Amino acid sequence: MAEKKEKTYELQFIKGIGPKRAEVLARAGINTLHDLLNFFPRKYVDRSKIITLDQLQADQEVTVLGRIEAVGIRHGRRRYFYIVISDGKGLLEALWFNSIDYFKNLFKVGEWVSLSGKVSFYLGFQMVHPDYDRLGEGELDKLLNTGKILAFYSGSEAFKRVGLNSYTFRRIFFNLLHDRLPDVEEYMPQEIQVSRQLLPRAEAYREIHIPQDQRLLEKAIYRFKYEEFFQLQLMLALQRAHQKARPMGFTFNKKSERLEKLYHNLPFEMTEAQKRVVREIRNDMRKPVPMNRLLQGDVGSGKTLVAVMAMLIAVDNGKQAALMAPTEILAEQHYFNIRKMVEPLGVRVILLTGSTTQKERRLIAEETSKGEPLIIIGTHALIYDSTQLPELGLIVIDEQHRFGVLQRARLIEKDVRADVLVMTATPIPRTLALTAYGNLDISVIDEMPPNRQKVTTLWRFDDAAPKIYDFIRKKVDSGEQAYIVYPLVEESEKLDLKAATEAYHRLSATEFKNYKVGLLHGRLKAAEKEAIMSRFARNEIQILISTTVIEVGIDVPNATIMLIEHAERFGLSQLHQLRGRVGRGTGKSYCILKTPFNLGEIAQKRMKIMTETQDGFVIAEKDLELRGWGDFFGTKQSGMPDFKIANPITDGEILQQARQDAFELVKHDPFLRGHQPLLKFLQTHLKKRMNLINIS
Ligand code: ADP
Ligand code: MG
């Protein structure tokens, strides 16, 4: 009932909104009371942390309130903008060294502001670049006298034009919520409300917008974070419970003799982690249910071998196996390596990429359609679209750090009988993996092969180039090899070509004129690429200048130096991948990150992290922190959920609770028959996702 009403609620009739503001809100996606209530504050100022200006002390983090008494620009050693505020008990000056024009127009004498930041003392108390918020008229008194916690909302230009700011939002919510609770139904199951001590939904809305005290505010925030995770996890649980009965998969019962042979002939011992993961995969493949497994392992942890073993199981059981790589060059590299491993065992390997001619393609199609056991390797799209693999028993997707969740879902839909193994090189924390891949089983190679070299990572500015070249010459003179990598200027292999090509011509004529220099980029023909790679592998090329096509998979143990030009243009995961190309042999290895002197703050942080750690988990976590959830996963393309208030990085514990509760609930009530309000809520507010689930 209440939910119905929400849907037709017109925000313009809410006190303080009116038709104009309702329209602007609607354009921002806020149409209903439900939407409005879910427009959560971006931060709070707690009065208990506010001090008066006679209590200021240097080096304290505080919030103060005051009236702007003066504004202006001064020319010290640097130009800066300042305001002076007073609360009748003392004075404080706030300074901004950047965006002076912006601040000049923002602050006016006579207005009230709150400032938060660290206090310093220089001829008087100061705050440099404080957080600031402008306060509405009269709010100061209320704030000081009633002990409220103030909510602050994010705004936009459009909001501002119709007078929607934190102050007006606070008034709207005060009118809406202060004397009564909002008309929303409690849909969370009673037992969870009790066990997780959730604030009732209506109360939680009141407390999140007009908090009475810190404790209730925290409870309200907890409730909504929990709710957000719970909804997502419930969807995953329902999806899993109602998956269309997949056709039976294959039972790969026959013991793979080729696997045994490969294992006994390895030039090294497999790590315990590799062995464990092979066992997990073998168990899956034995079952009649199609495997759906994610294999996580840091760069160099030896995922390829595990994949090859899985493919051999399929082959020895009379089926075909396919391996899909994200780029052509990686497909070629895999082809090269895997052929070496399995051809001695009598397994045919076929390569299919963009460079494969129509004629070759027809031959391949003819061959694969015969259904003979074989391994086919290629780029994602190609294998997927253009091959008939009548006896496909296993698909391995080497997706490295690209998270094509939706793409994969489509693939799995289409070819449901085959087992699917997805390999990713970004080791993401377990709770995150659960969110990202709720419906996959997960295997982790959490151990590196022994004797892996630590790669000494240095960060150098461009003016150090002569020294760096000198260093490379010295190393190459002693028989080692080097990569010099140029960044992708844009998401295009065309644009990055120029920088690398120019560098190749320049360096091979000057700095490295006495050395054998090669150039590798994505636009070379497959045969040319392969020729260059194998010449590099044989040390007939000593210095390989390259675009990021070498990012993944390439394996030349004698290469000990990696110079990354314009390292600031790379993301952390990408730098980590690139660095993984060296440190693969016995020689001491170096990764040199070369950047201009002037770097943004985030880029500086990335460089520092790279010099400090080589742990893929730490790097992935930092990457997430720096880039945020949406950017890291590319939420839109990847089909990853977007969170309003919950943060999967910092709220992992709440996520775990919600997941446990959601799966438990669905286990006992897969049709939500005993949870009608919950079912109705999902059908109203998460319609799109619910439609994907086959629950009738
Ligand atoms: P990634 O997990 O990054 O794909 P690869 O599968 O390319 O790593 O393996 C990197 C290198 O390590 C390869 O040369 C491979 O032969 C080697 N390798 C794999 N497993 C082991 C092991 N247990 N001991 C030593 N070397 C190994
Ligand atoms: Mg690999």
Side-chain angles (χ1 to χ4, degrees), residues 304 334 398 400:
T304 315
H334 272 314
D398 190 3
Q400 302 295 337

Side-chain angles (χ1 to χ4, degrees), residues 268-271 274 298-305 449 452 555 584:
F268 47 74
E269 183 64 18
M270 285 173 77
T271 61
Q274 282 172 313
D298 203 353
V299 185
S301 62
K303 295 185 292 295
T304 315
L305 176 61
R452 274 289 142 82
D555 192 22
R584 296 179 155 246

Side-chain angles (χ1 to χ4, degrees), residues 152-197:
F152 286 87
Y153 295 84
S154 19
S156 67
E157 276 308 309
F159 278 19
K160 229 188 271 171
R161 254 179 269 124
V162 291
L164 280 171
N165 52 36
S166 287
Y167 172 58
T168 43
F169 273 117
R170 283 196 291 271
R171 285 237 309 238
I172 291 165
F173 284 116
F174 187 85
N175 288 329
L176 195 63
L177 301 170
H178 187 260
D179 296 328
R180 65 194 115 89
L181 290 173
D183 189 8
V184 296
E185 200 175 4
E186 180 58 71
Y187 68 92
M188 287 301 282
Q190 182 68 31
E191 63 271 20
I192 291 177
Q193 278 191 71
V194 173
S195 67
R196 298 297 176 196
Q197 301 188 352

